[in-house]
Amino acid sequence: MIERMPMTRVDWTREEIAELFDLSFTELVFRAAQVHRENFNPDEVQLSTLLSIKTGGCPEDCGYCSQSAKADTDVKATKLMDVQAVLQAAAQAKDHGSTRFCMGAAWRNPKDRDMPAIVQIVKGVREMGMETCMTLGMLTPKQADMLAEAGLDYYNHNLDTSPERYAEVITTRSFQDRLDTLDNVRKAGINVCSGGIVGMGETREDRVGFIHALATLPEHPDSVPINALVPVKGTPLGDMLADTPLAKIDDIEFVRTVAVARITMPKSMVRLSAGRESMSDGTQALCFLAGANSIFTGDKLLTAPNAGDDNDAKLFARLGLKGMPAEQREKSCCAVPEPAE
Ligand code: SAM
Ligand code: DTB
Ligand code: SF4
């Protein structure tokens, strides 16, 4: 396979990233907007739809997640959905204007017996002309190769927070486990989608470390989801935020995080992911100005509520934004490698 060359800086230092965060807000957003328009059409936002194809009962203990078997939430565990039911949902998403269909499973990792159905789903969604993305937990090199062969376009696997905070949020796997799966995905030739969550009571230094970890991967993720924690009652972090409301992230700091992601990873799609449902239109507008250019559409994420198509249509009309055509994204994004010198 041809080696893909990093086309943007992957040698950011923590100090440089901290300095970006420290800029005045107007200067930071101005710089991010400039980088955004040098690489993308700033009026276009990619629309993706999410579907939980296997919900709840997950053996991992991620402190934010409603689907962990260790959390005390209302989420009911289900089996992997039927292939046909998934394809039906994908067709509906396409009718609603989505160009990418993202599927999530509450697994630590897929079992080998799950792989034939997963492969059928990827092939089926691709045949409809949509981009496919999956997030299934940790992958072995062999599983990553199977997904690549089926035609999977993207694999989502988040680093979630800084390496030093990781063990406070999740104890059932390590930061290195995450890096290993990202490596397997990249080596299989699948585009990487990796980001994380802010608003988990972390410090500014953690946010610096989180962006630093992403921006210094051997190659920037093609897509970087920035989630704002959706606090879920019965999860350790949801309960922590309910007890200490002051730990909630400030909107301006959230926009700063988006802006720093845009500046340090100029060619990546920066996705304003979970948390939009409780975000004001003004904050979302600032995120788009600061370089966010992808969202999840619809009323539901995996288990948590999302902003909803009606609200998004109104917001897009107010802001003069439009959906990004799939072929446009292909042209503007780092997913298309340049030949090595
Ligand atoms: N089990 C797989 C995994 O962990 O990689 C895939 C599904 S998991 C739900 C995908 C991502 O959703 C997590 O890495 C996390 O970033 C995000 N997420 C989960 N719960 C969230 C919450 N309550 N608020 C914000 N983001 C959340
Ligand atoms: C990502 O970073 N955000 C999406 C997607 N990848 C799979 C998931 C958000 C989940 C929000 C909580 C929930 O719906 O349970
Ligand atoms: Fe499981 Fe993923 Fe939720 Fe963690 S984030 S508990 S791995 S579904």
Side-chain angles (χ1 to χ4, degrees):
M1 187 190 303
I2 301 169
E3 278 289 309
R4 292 176 54 175
M5 302 292 289
M7 284 167 285
T8 45
R9 277 190 65 191
V10 291
D11 61 352
W12 291 95
T13 63
R14 277 200 180 220
E15 291 68 33
E16 285 174 310
I17 292 175
E19 278 167 19
L20 288 173
F21 267 101
D22 282 343
L23 287 172
S24 72
F25 186 72
T26 44
E27 178 65 23
L28 175 60
V29 173
F30 176 76
R31 287 198 201 177
Q34 209 163 24
V35 170
H36 188 197
R37 61 186 49 228
E38 280 163 12
N39 292 282
F40 295 95
N41 177 341
D43 298 339
E44 288 181 351
V45 175
Q46 182 196 37
L47 307 177
S48 308
T49 298
L50 254 183
L51 177 70
S52 179
I53 59 171
K54 194 271 162 220
T55 307
C58 182
E60 302 274 46
D61 70 352
C62 312
Y64 44 79
C65 188
S66 65
Q67 303 195 70
S68 166
K70 295 178 176 77
D72 184 12
T73 67
D74 296 338
V75 173
K76 287 196 179 60
T78 66
K79 287 195 188 135
L80 179 61
M81 281 172 73
D82 282 341
V83 175
Q84 282 315 317
V86 177
L87 297 186
Q88 224 166 26
Q92 228 170 31
K94 191 180 175 193
D95 286 349
H96 280 79
S98 239
T99 54
R100 190 189 292 188
F101 198 58
C102 304
M103 295 157 273
W107 283 327
R108 175 175 163 80
N109 51 264
K111 308 258 182 321
D112 285 343
R113 65 165 186 267
D114 302 316
M115 291 307 286
I118 295 291
V119 163
Q120 265 186 290
I121 290 171
V122 173
K123 286 185 174 165
V125 177
R126 276 207 110 216
E127 276 167 19
M128 289 176 194
M130 292 181 93
E131 287 183 336
T132 50
C133 178
M134 286 208 159
T135 178
L136 313 170
M138 293 186 267
L139 293 182
T140 62
K142 187 168 159 238
Q143 288 172 330
D145 287 342
M146 285 173 82
L147 292 174
E149 211 167 298
L152 184 70
D153 297 294
Y154 290 82
Y155 195 77
N156 168 238
H157 200 66
N158 290 342
L159 293 181
D160 276 322
T161 190
S162 63
E164 56 279 15
R165 178 116 202 279
Y166 203 78
E168 283 171 41
V169 177
I170 302 150
T171 69
T172 48
R173 59 169 189 261
S174 67
F175 197 79
Q176 187 58 47
D177 287 331
R178 288 311 251 192
L179 294 175
D180 291 347
T181 290
L182 289 181
D183 202 39
N184 294 339
V185 169
R186 193 178 307 105
K187 284 187 176 140
I190 301 170
N191 295 308
V192 167
C193 169
S194 188
I197 312 182
V198 290
M200 298 193 291
E202 74 281 343
T203 60
R204 159 74 70 86
E205 188 53 35
D206 286 318
R207 287 186 283 278
V208 169
F210 157 58
I211 297 288
H212 178 258
L214 292 167
T216 57
L217 284 169
E219 210 176 307
H220 291 164
D222 303 277
S223 202
V224 179
I226 307 287
N227 297 277
L229 177 72
V230 179
V232 182
K233 195 166 168 282
T235 61
L237 285 166
D239 291 346
M240 182 275 288
L241 271 192
D243 293 342
T244 48
L246 283 179
K248 189 177 179 302
I249 192 169
D250 161 54
D251 287 348
I252 298 296
E253 183 69 8
F254 184 82
V255 179
R256 281 183 184 273
T257 310
V258 169
V260 176
R262 166 51 67 222
I263 293 169
T264 53
M265 295 171 276
K267 292 182 186 297
S268 306
M269 303 294 290
V270 173
R271 184 180 296 145
L272 182 52
S273 301
R276 284 197 311 116
E277 169 259 345
S278 57
M279 221 175 257
S280 70
D281 283 0
T283 301
Q284 291 189 62
L286 282 171
C287 289
F288 294 129
L289 183 65
N293 60 350
S294 174
I295 58 166
F296 288 117
T297 57
D299 297 333
K300 202 170 158 195
L301 294 162
L302 292 171
T303 67
N306 194 23
D309 289 346
D310 290 352
N311 291 324
D312 286 342
K314 281 187 208 137
L315 178 62
F316 274 42
R318 283 175 81 196
L319 300 178
L321 293 175
K322 50 184 183 284
M324 183 184 290
E327 60 278 13
Q328 187 60 39
R329 213 201 78 75
E330 286 300 318
K331 267 187 255 151
S332 56
C333 174
C334 50
V336 183
E338 278 170 5
E341 294 278 304

